[in-house]
Amino acid sequence: MRPYLSNTAKPALNLLRQRPILAIFEVTLRCNSACGYCDLPLNKGRYEMSRQEIRQVFRHLYQNGLRYVLIQGGEPLLRNDLPEILNDLADIGFGLSLITNGTKLTPTLISHLTSIPLNISISLDALDRELYKRIRGADQLRLVLKGIDALTDYPHPKYLTCIVSEANRSHVVEVVRFARDRGFIPVVGAYHWDIERYGKVDLALQYQKSTAVSVFQSVLDSGLVPRGYFRQYLRDNITWLSGGSLKRCDAGRYSIAIDASGNVAPCLALEHQGNLLTSSLDEILMQIDQVAIRACSDQSSCNMLCSRVIGSILNQPINALLTPTKLEPFLRNPTHVTAG
């Protein structure tokens, strides 16, 4: 009984004390895309923790009450040992979500991932080959569509995330419909630029906020996004783009960001405050400037999903309860989309 109590009491205590229960983990600093809106410090040849170091670090984080890990990169599937790392994290007890561009998904890999309680989120901003290439910096749409097809019978929650920019704003509803047709929960977010370390300035992708509002409103009106958390996320985007304020974000409070070297920041946009290979989480959290984070959040400078998910669930528990984790495809035999 005692281990069970410690497993449930620790994260609950973290919520009461406003300590992290979620980590965004950049498992690799390498990427096979060159997205116009990404300014994360990738492909720099910096040190990446070994599987053993990751296991050690995340065991300590679990003991500190963290329970959820969003695994991204770079492109996480560029790590050859990622399946083993996912196994380790699942064995420790974490709830896991993998965020990938989908280019490296194969039936063999998916068969392995099926054995792990793992959510998968595919990033897809357009179904037109040339537009995809312009946004993502690589001609890879064919590979992504193959990966999506291979996930047809995937038994765990699966999401498709579309980032709204000036380049794809007239294509977003089409992408959302594509997701629903294939049983993916569509998630629609906004391109952010020039926010601390996050969001590269790309003039071809920048939009007028009023124009972006109409895109999100069209998605909301379409009814394609199911009720609950992700429909509320659409409303939050509309509020933010319209100049309104959102509730305080989770950065450094309920969530932290960890890069492949073990460096910890309050979120992807903010500077690192310490390294988990040389310092404890408590020591790092003491260095975080909560006042500065609150000031940043109060300005509604961004509404990144990863740094608002816990707070949104706590603030709107009914929405959380209404949120489905799986959707049946709208079409049993959806029209095949090619990248030609």
Side-chain angles (χ1 to χ4, degrees):
M1 182 65 73
R2 285 185 178 179
Y4 172 78
L5 286 174
S6 63
N7 283 345
T8 57
K10 188 66 176 180
L13 185 60
N14 277 17
L15 291 175
L16 290 173
R17 297 172 60 194
Q18 297 191 355
R19 288 173 56 90
I21 67 167
L22 179 147
I24 304 102
F25 180 35
E26 299 169 282
V27 68
T28 181
L29 304 170
R30 293 167 282 139
C31 193
N32 60 345
S33 296
C35 300
Y37 48 66
C38 179
D39 201 23
L40 295 176
L42 306 174
N43 297 323
K44 301 295 186 182
R46 290 183 289 130
Y47 179 72
E48 293 183 357
M49 291 187 289
S50 67
R51 175 189 174 188
Q52 180 179 358
E53 287 173 323
I54 291 171
R55 186 167 56 234
Q56 174 184 337
V57 161
F58 277 87
R59 276 184 182 146
H60 290 152
L61 292 176
Y62 190 86
Q63 292 168 0
N64 275 276
L66 273 82
R67 291 296 182 268
Y68 305 99
V69 184
L70 308 183
I71 298 124
Q72 62 176 56
E75 171 45 48
L77 292 176
L78 290 179
R79 275 199 73 137
N80 293 330
D81 58 351
L82 183 68
E84 290 75 25
I85 291 171
L86 293 173
N87 279 334
D88 292 340
L89 295 177
D91 288 343
I92 291 171
F94 287 104
L96 302 175
S97 294
L98 175 67
I99 301 167
T100 171
N101 62 24
T103 60
K104 307 292 286 185
L105 288 169
T106 64
T108 299
L109 175 60
I110 291 169
S111 178
H112 177 86
L113 298 181
T114 297
S115 66
I116 307 170
L118 175 72
N119 302 343
I120 292 183
S121 177
I122 307 292
S123 301
L124 181 64
D125 303 323
L127 296 170
D128 176 83
R129 181 177 177 180
E130 288 303 315
L131 180 55
Y132 180 95
K133 181 180 178 180
R134 192 191 331 159
I135 296 172
R136 292 276 169 173
D139 186 7
Q140 297 173 322
L141 181 58
R142 291 179 185 271
L143 296 174
V144 181
L145 295 177
K146 285 183 179 179
I148 289 172
D149 284 345
L151 287 168
T152 297
D153 297 319
Y154 190 70
H156 307 304
K158 54 185 182 180
Y159 305 88
L160 194 149
T161 299
C162 179
I163 301 300
V164 176
S165 68
E166 179 61 24
N168 73 337
R169 60 185 174 86
S170 63
H171 297 253
V172 174
V173 173
E174 177 189 20
V175 174
V176 170
R177 182 172 288 109
F178 172 86
R180 284 302 309 265
D181 284 350
R182 285 150 182 81
F184 284 73
I185 296 176
V187 183
V188 182
Y191 162 47
H192 306 295
W193 60 88
D194 202 20
I195 300 171
E196 302 292 341
R197 296 192 310 138
Y198 188 80
K200 182 165 58 178
V201 176
D202 188 318
L203 297 179
L205 300 182
Q206 286 182 332
Y207 48 75
Q208 294 292 327
K209 289 187 175 181
S210 59
T211 302
V213 166
S214 66
V215 176
F216 282 92
Q217 190 63 56
S218 295
V219 175
L220 188 61
D221 293 343
S222 73
L224 293 166
V225 175
R227 63 180 182 170
Y229 177 73
F230 295 109
R231 193 176 291 181
Q232 181 60 47
Y233 185 54
L234 289 173
R235 298 189 184 100
D236 287 346
N237 274 279
I238 292 171
T239 297
W240 172 72
L241 290 164
S242 301
S245 296
L246 302 175
K247 291 183 181 295
R248 182 186 174 190
C249 78
D250 300 339
R253 184 172 58 146
Y254 299 128
S255 66
I256 53 174
I258 306 169
D259 76 3
S261 304
N263 296 313
V264 177
C267 78
L268 293 170
L270 300 175
E271 295 295 331
H272 298 135
Q273 303 294 317
N275 188 288
L276 289 166
L277 294 176
T278 57
S279 302
S280 70
L281 179 61
D282 283 341
E283 291 170 332
I284 295 171
L285 291 177
M286 289 178 63
Q287 302 301 315
I288 291 178
D289 188 346
Q290 295 287 353
V291 175
I293 295 170
R294 181 184 287 274
C296 178
S297 177
D298 287 347
Q299 294 172 8
S300 296
S301 59
C302 76
N303 60 344
M304 288 189 290
L305 184 67
C306 55
S307 287
R308 292 195 181 273
V309 60
I310 302 298
S312 294
I313 290 171
L314 293 175
N315 291 325
Q316 299 173 343
I318 294 177
N319 262 329
L321 291 172
L322 292 175
T323 305
T325 57
K326 293 180 67 176
L327 294 178
E328 289 298 318
F330 271 178
L331 305 177
R332 287 297 176 182
N333 296 297
T335 302
H336 185 63
V337 175
T338 67

